[in-house]
Amino acid sequence: MKNRLEEIRKQRGIKQEELADVMGVSRQTISSLENGRYNPSVILAIKLARYFEMNVEDIFIYEEANDEK
Amino acid sequence: MKNKKYTIYIIEMVAGVLINMLAFSGTVSDPSVLTGIGSGILVVGLVQLLRTMRIERDPELKKRVETASKDERYAFISMKAKEAAFAIYLIIAAVICMACLILGYEREGMTAAVSICLLVILYTIMFRILAKKY
């Protein structure tokens, strides 16, 4: 699953550490999400969407063909 | 909560010392097993106590440890690691079992076979319980 998390975070001028603190996860989790190595839980995806005041689909792009999990 | 943790670790250490004292009291014919168990419990309690004290003294470290304990990616990695360890253990135990049985070490081979059966049975039981829960 692709995502625009890094792009959106940088647009808002937020550091990975700050976002991690707000979400209650580690900085490595934010880094892994941005690199597409880890797909978030539904709860974390919704929390991120609410934090950025966007829809989940605006941040995370689900592509069935590339879905490996 | 913090005091409860300390109490548990201190109880562990006291239990370790008591087991060691029992081992050295001369009432047991072979004290080596009891000494091993006692020393193990004592060291585990001591390490946990020192670790907790270190975390409590360092707010930055405490925050990192708390975040790590709640972090969903760590939980996911931990689950994946357990899954891989389980699968690898089954293969290793199966190889050991066959090798032992071929080489005539029947008792060791049977122990490995029983451990495989036990794991598979436990997995089946846990799967059924969790399938009802979720």
Side-chain angles (χ1 to χ4, degrees), chain A residues 21 25-26 28-29 32 38 41 44, chain B residues 63 67-68 70-74 76:
Chain A
D21 273 353
V25 297
S26 65
Q28 290 94 324
T29 298
S32 292
Y38 172 68
S41 66
L44 183 56
Chain B
K63 195 181 154 197
T67 305
K70 288 183 284 181
D71 190 88
E72 65 167 54
R73 182 174 145 268
Y74 287 164
F76 172 77

Side-chain angles (χ1 to χ4, degrees), chain B residues 9 12-13 39-49:
Chain B
Y9 303 149
E12 278 179 8
M13 288 167 63
S39 303
I41 293 171
L42 177 64
V43 170
V44 167
L46 184 65
V47 169
Q48 284 176 324
L49 183 71

Side-chain angles (χ1 to χ4, degrees), chain B residues 6-50:
Chain B
Y6 284 132
T7 310
I8 291 168
Y9 303 149
I10 291 166
I11 289 170
E12 278 179 8
M13 288 167 63
V14 171
V17 171
L18 287 175
I19 293 170
N20 267 320
M21 281 167 67
L22 181 70
F24 290 114
S25 65
T27 51
V28 188
S29 57
D30 183 15
S32 61
V33 176
L34 273 186
T35 311
I37 294 169
S39 303
I41 293 171
L42 177 64
V43 170
V44 167
L46 184 65
V47 169
Q48 284 176 324
L49 183 71
L50 292 174

Side-chain angles (χ1 to χ4, degrees), chain A residues 7-19:
Chain A
E7 178 197 330
I8 296 163
R9 179 181 60 76
K10 284 182 177 170
Q11 272 174 5
R12 315 268 170 129
I14 302 162
K15 288 180 182 170
Q16 282 187 341
E17 288 87 351
E18 291 167 353
L19 185 58

Side-chain angles (χ1 to χ4, degrees), chain B residues 39-98:
Chain B
S39 303
I41 293 171
L42 177 64
V43 170
V44 167
L46 184 65
V47 169
Q48 284 176 324
L49 183 71
L50 292 174
R51 185 175 170 268
T52 309
M53 283 166 72
R54 194 176 144 233
I55 291 168
E56 291 297 334
R57 267 195 235 122
D58 186 346
E60 188 62 33
L61 180 64
K62 189 179 178 184
K63 195 181 154 197
R64 262 189 302 163
V65 170
E66 278 173 359
T67 305
S69 68
K70 288 183 284 181
D71 190 88
E72 65 167 54
R73 182 174 145 268
Y74 287 164
F76 172 77
I77 293 168
S78 169
M79 200 177 71
K80 283 275 177 192
K82 280 178 198 164
E83 199 181 292
F86 175 77
I88 293 166
Y89 176 82
L90 281 184
I91 294 166
I92 292 172
V95 171
I96 290 172
C97 173
M98 283 189 286

